[in-house]
Amino acid sequence: MSTIIKITLITTFVLGFVLPYAYYFSGKKSRSRFKKSLAVNVFSVFSGIIIATILAYNPDFLVFGSELTETPAAAEAASSGLATGLGYIAAALVTGLSCIGGGVAVASTASAALGAISEDNSIFGRSLIFVGLAEGVALYGLIISFMILGQL
């Protein structure tokens, strides 16, 4: 692992874990303070991991201008490495976010369906259709991620 990736991961650890929790525990523990520290935690950890991943797939990412003395074939290989890394990140984001959205949708439709079924048993089929449609969101995201991985 190169030095720049190590520095990025250490900075991610400090910005993502140490500073938000120090901010939360240093003052009055309130809900708004917790939300701010959690938002900083999530943003800095995910952005640090994405930056470290980009640097791992393309170590010459920070080389600018005249310092870059590569042949066109080497430059094309480096850019394809970056494209592959970003493709994997895109596939992971598609799968993760669609599953989160599907989980939120199933949670709300399933609870409403159970309440409706407890009052009237004849609407079981219609409520099952709505729960299945909500679950389809996660399946569509999985299909899109397979399509992205097929292009890599």
Side-chain angles (χ1 to χ4, degrees), residues 88-112:
Y88 286 129
I89 290 172
L93 283 174
V94 166
T95 305
L97 293 177
S98 68
C99 288
I100 289 172
V104 169
V106 166
S108 62
T109 56
S111 64

Side-chain angles (χ1 to χ4, degrees), residues 6-118:
K6 290 179 184 176
I7 291 171
T8 304
L9 291 176
I10 290 170
T11 305
T12 299
F13 176 74
V14 170
L15 290 177
F17 295 108
V18 175
L19 293 180
Y21 293 116
Y23 170 74
Y24 178 70
F25 289 118
S26 66
K28 182 182 175 190
K29 296 173 184 67
S30 65
R31 186 177 181 97
S32 66
R33 223 172 151 87
F34 177 73
K35 285 183 179 181
K36 287 179 188 176
S37 65
L38 184 64
V40 169
N41 175 291
V42 169
F43 176 74
S44 45
V45 167
F46 283 127
S47 61
I49 289 173
I50 288 172
I51 290 170
T53 304
I54 290 171
L55 290 174
Y57 278 104
N58 190 7
D60 297 329
F61 184 70
L62 297 176
V63 178
F64 300 106
S66 62
E67 298 172 6
L68 186 61
T69 57
E70 295 180 342
T71 63
E76 183 180 332
S79 67
S80 70
L82 177 65
T84 303
L86 291 176
Y88 286 129
I89 290 172
L93 283 174
V94 166
T95 305
L97 293 177
S98 68
C99 288
I100 289 172
V104 169
V106 166
S108 62
T109 56
S111 64
L114 283 175
I117 291 170
S118 67

